[in-house]
Amino acid sequence: MRDVFPALIHDPNLVYFDSASTTLKPQSVVDAMNDYYKVYGVNVHRGQYSQALLTTKKFEDARSRIAAFIHAHSEREVIFTKNATEALNMAASMLFNRNARSIAISPLNHHSHYLPWTQGAKNHGGAIHYLKCDEHGDIHYDEHSLEAMGRVDSVALTYVSNVTGRVQPIGKIVESIRKLYPDTIICVDATQAMAHLPVDVASLGCDMLAFSGHKMYGPTGIGVLWVRQDLLSKLEPVYFGGGMVADLRDGHAIWSDTPYAFEAGTPPIAEAIALHSACDFIDSCGYDAIRASDEHAFETLATIVKSVDPTVHILGEGSPNPSVGILSWYSQKYHPHDMAELLGEKNIAVRAGHHCAIPLHTQMAVPSTVRASVSCVQNATDFSAFEQAYNAAYTKLCPSTIQSF
Amino acid sequence: MSIYDSVILDYYHHPLHKRVIDAPDVTCHVANQSCGDELTVMMRIVRGVVTDCAYQGHLCAVSTASASLLSEKVIGMRVAEVCELDMDIVHELLDVELTPVRLKCALLPLEAIQKSARSFHRVESES
């Protein structure tokens, strides 16, 4: 599998355990990006010459592919953005502009799915309810918890935590919310889910869903906001400019049809075409194989990390929910930055810090963690290299005479 | 060269001045929320001179080394001189190439020491 990733051919010694930050890109995705610039190269939805029509078709085929990938009812529900952060900010802004004033979020939410709601509530005089998580970081969605939440205008849910890596039972959570509050709008951040499990907006039952291309083997610079058609038809755009207005006279604007009304300016054309390839790549891997690999990866990494330090706290360990192969851990014996830097010196790529998830770290009472996160690029050699480097780093940071930092 | 082959690891395992000063003249707490480094600096000051400087906290190897060396450095300095130190002193004391992220770790103790010194300086000027 390594030989389909140009970055790993360029650096064959790289042991890449930072996929939750960004996935490496397979050659097919790189080729698709390059093909746009080398073969097509023109704008979409504007020209009437053959190259423009061909490029527009390629771009809209990408939209259809992505719609099918997430089982959307229609490609008209798929809005291209520059990333999940923009998609989630757009979702929040549109709902606040439509008078949403009570929002529920959870500490599991990445800052990009936390701040748009809290800042929006602050700016519009709204209220935030904080859903609770258990000791594994899994969301409480029992009737008692949802009754405590009360009826809110919107709920912002995380499908997979970028810290614990645990898949939340979104379908069941949505069903439970709908039973009590049928008109609450539910927005899901699926950024960490897309590369690891099939995402089906129809079965999930949510109203909005967002993700980034670069975390599912696609390029940077593209994200998707999916919005159920009957909701989308009631929303007003929040970005304005070319391509999203059908008529503009005497200062009065009539917006274009969905989804174009929500895509102001020239869209990320090369990126959308490349994201189409990323969907094809994931299908070629197969989600069953991906899931098996993720769970094996989590168990292997957890075993390695705990073998020299059984006291290490692995966030989310013990959760009954499946893992997508993200392992974030905290040790009393060393600082995450030191461990990450020593691993980095051996070409092992991990991340240290709070991973844009301060609320979850606060709830778990750890200041920061080291995070190793997998994708389909790992092999047995990578895990051996990690084990060797981790043990050496641990010995350097924690010689037997030193007990804690 | 790895920064962990330098004095940094030595001071991490054998920190200087990582202790408590009873009844310090000034104390200051700082934290880097992004990584969890946090420290409290304590100083004793007699006639405008730092006569003792110590710290407590949870620190990475880089900030521990920096805190150790800076504490050692400022003992015997005038408060006004401590206030005028800049990041060059950290580079000079650690003598390793640091990435921007780790430079933040190295500068945290300087921030704490200078905040302590400035708060003493301010109180002295107002009295």
Side-chain angles (χ1 to χ4, degrees):
Chain A
M1 182 59 81
R2 286 178 72 94
D3 56 8
V4 310
F5 290 90
L8 296 179
I9 295 170
H10 176 74
D11 186 353
N13 296 317
L14 176 61
V15 176
Y16 192 70
F17 283 118
D18 200 20
S19 294
S21 178
T22 199
T23 48
L24 299 179
K25 320 305 167 196
Q27 188 66 55
S28 56
V29 168
V30 175
D31 289 344
M33 280 279 283
N34 287 338
D35 281 349
Y36 167 72
Y37 290 112
K38 282 159 51 174
V39 175
Y40 304 95
V42 301
N43 212 331
V44 296
H45 300 134
R46 286 150 173 86
Q48 291 173 345
Y49 46 95
S50 59
Q51 196 73 330
L53 298 173
L54 185 64
T55 307
T56 298
K57 182 172 184 323
K58 243 355 224 182
F59 177 75
E60 290 300 331
D61 281 349
R63 191 192 305 277
S64 300
R65 177 69 171 103
I66 287 148
F69 197 71
I70 59 173
H71 302 270
H73 172 70
S74 161
E75 67 275 6
R76 296 165 71 93
E77 299 175 327
V78 169
I79 300 166
F80 286 125
T81 63
K82 77 167 186 268
N83 49 33
T85 298
E86 183 174 76
L88 293 164
N89 272 272
M90 192 191 285
S93 294
M94 292 196 292
L95 293 180
F96 280 113
N97 288 349
R98 198 172 165 257
N99 292 320
R101 290 294 180 265
S102 53
I103 313 289
I105 62 177
S106 86
L108 213 58
N109 289 15
H110 184 283
H111 293 171
S112 293
H113 199 31
Y114 194 100
L115 288 166
W117 305 103
T118 54
Q119 289 304 111
K122 188 174 159 193
N123 295 339
H124 290 89
I128 297 280
H129 174 88
Y130 296 93
L131 289 167
K132 300 221 178 334
C133 293
D134 66 16
E135 71 274 24
H136 306 305
D138 293 328
I139 299 170
H140 283 306
Y141 63 99
D142 54 283
E143 199 169 314
H144 174 73
S145 298
L146 295 181
E147 280 171 357
M149 176 180 84
R151 194 231 155 253
V152 291
D153 294 319
S154 302
V155 180
L157 295 173
T158 294
Y159 203 158
V160 177
S161 164
N162 72 317
V163 174
T164 68
R166 297 290 168 167
V167 181
Q168 303 301 297
I170 293 292
K172 290 185 186 163
I173 297 173
V174 169
E175 193 183 334
S176 302
I177 294 172
R178 293 249 185 269
K179 219 190 308 189
L180 293 173
Y181 315 113
D183 63 344
T184 293
I185 293 173
I186 302 173
C187 179
V188 175
D189 174 10
T191 303
Q192 294 293 340
M194 298 300 296
H196 298 279
L197 59 142
V199 173
D200 183 332
V201 293
S203 349
L204 291 177
C206 54
D207 303 293
M208 301 168 122
L209 183 132
F211 55 92
S212 278
H214 74 97
K215 299 206 194 218
M216 54 178 286
Y217 306 102
T220 52
I222 189 161
V224 167
L225 175 64
W226 168 83
V227 184
R228 195 169 38 77
Q229 185 65 41
D230 62 345
L231 172 62
L232 191 57
S233 62
K234 295 174 189 148
L235 298 176
E236 288 287 305
V238 290
Y239 289 116
F240 307 97
M244 50 78 66
V245 60
D247 197 6
L248 180 59
R249 282 171 219 276
D250 302 321
H252 176 65
I254 298 173
W255 309 131
S256 300
D257 289 339
T258 60
Y260 310 109
F262 302 93
E263 294 181 349
T266 297
I269 306 167
E271 290 80 359
I273 293 168
L275 188 57
H276 181 152
S277 284
C279 295
D280 293 343
F281 175 78
I282 293 173
D283 276 348
S284 74
C285 295
Y287 275 125
D288 287 343
I290 288 172
R291 178 171 170 158
S293 164
D294 286 346
E295 298 208 346
H296 168 75
F298 180 86
E299 292 306 324
T300 306
L301 290 168
T303 301
I304 291 169
V305 163
K306 286 194 292 191
S307 64
V308 291
D309 180 12
T311 67
V312 77
H313 176 187
I314 294 174
L315 277 60
E317 194 179 29
S319 163
N321 292 325
S323 166
V324 301
I326 295 175
L327 189 101
S328 299
W329 74 93
Y330 175 77
S331 171
Q332 296 276 0
K333 308 271 181 71
Y334 54 79
H335 192 287
H337 269 173
D338 292 321
M339 177 53 72
E341 181 137 0
L342 281 165
L343 290 173
E345 287 178 2
K346 297 282 188 250
N347 233 1
I348 315 277
V350 296
R351 183 170 166 184
H354 55 60
H355 320 304
C356 304
I358 292 176
L360 187 59
H361 280 79
T362 304
Q363 169 162 314
M364 299 275 192
V366 297
S368 59
T369 48
V370 189
R371 184 184 72 184
S373 51
V374 303
S375 65
C376 64
V377 305
Q378 273 68 49
N379 58 27
T381 310
D382 289 337
F383 292 108
S384 296
F386 177 85
E387 183 170 20
Q388 237 181 334
Y390 177 76
N391 290 343
Y394 185 85
T395 303
K396 204 157 203 170
L397 294 171
C398 312
S400 55
T401 51
I402 307 292
Q403 293 307 303
S404 73
F405 80 99
Chain B
M1 186 184 94
S2 166
I3 64 170
Y4 296 94
D5 293 330
S6 69
V7 296
I8 284 179
L9 205 59
D10 290 339
Y11 285 113
Y12 180 54
H13 291 318
H14 306 285
L16 300 178
H17 304 293
K18 191 174 183 184
R19 53 186 166 79
V20 174
I21 295 177
D22 289 328
D25 293 299
V26 281
T27 184
C28 176
H29 177 80
V30 295
N32 181 346
Q33 297 296 345
S34 66
C35 70
D37 280 345
E38 52 147 351
L39 80 157
T40 301
V41 161
M42 297 150 277
M43 284 186 186
R44 200 162 274 139
I45 298 171
V46 177
R47 286 190 287 278
V49 174
V50 178
T51 57
D52 199 9
C53 180
Y55 62 93
Q56 288 280 281
H58 283 136
L59 297 169
C60 67
V62 170
S63 42
T64 300
S66 178
S68 296
L69 290 164
L70 279 168
S71 297
E72 181 77 358
K73 177 76 180 174
V74 303
I75 293 171
M77 283 179 77
R78 300 201 61 79
V79 169
E81 287 175 312
V82 175
C83 293
E84 282 167 18
L85 291 171
D86 61 24
M87 68 164 77
D88 289 346
I89 189 64
V90 173
H91 284 298
E92 183 191 311
L93 291 171
L94 291 177
D95 195 27
V96 286
E97 194 77 36
L98 292 172
T99 62
V101 169
R102 301 319 295 280
L103 182 59
K104 265 183 85 170
C105 303
L107 292 175
L108 193 71
L110 180 65
E111 182 190 340
I113 284 169
Q114 287 193 311
K115 269 189 173 162
S116 300
R118 283 179 188 132
S119 72
F120 181 84
H121 207 44
R122 201 167 34 247
V123 165
E124 282 278 284
S125 328
E126 284 164 5
S127 63

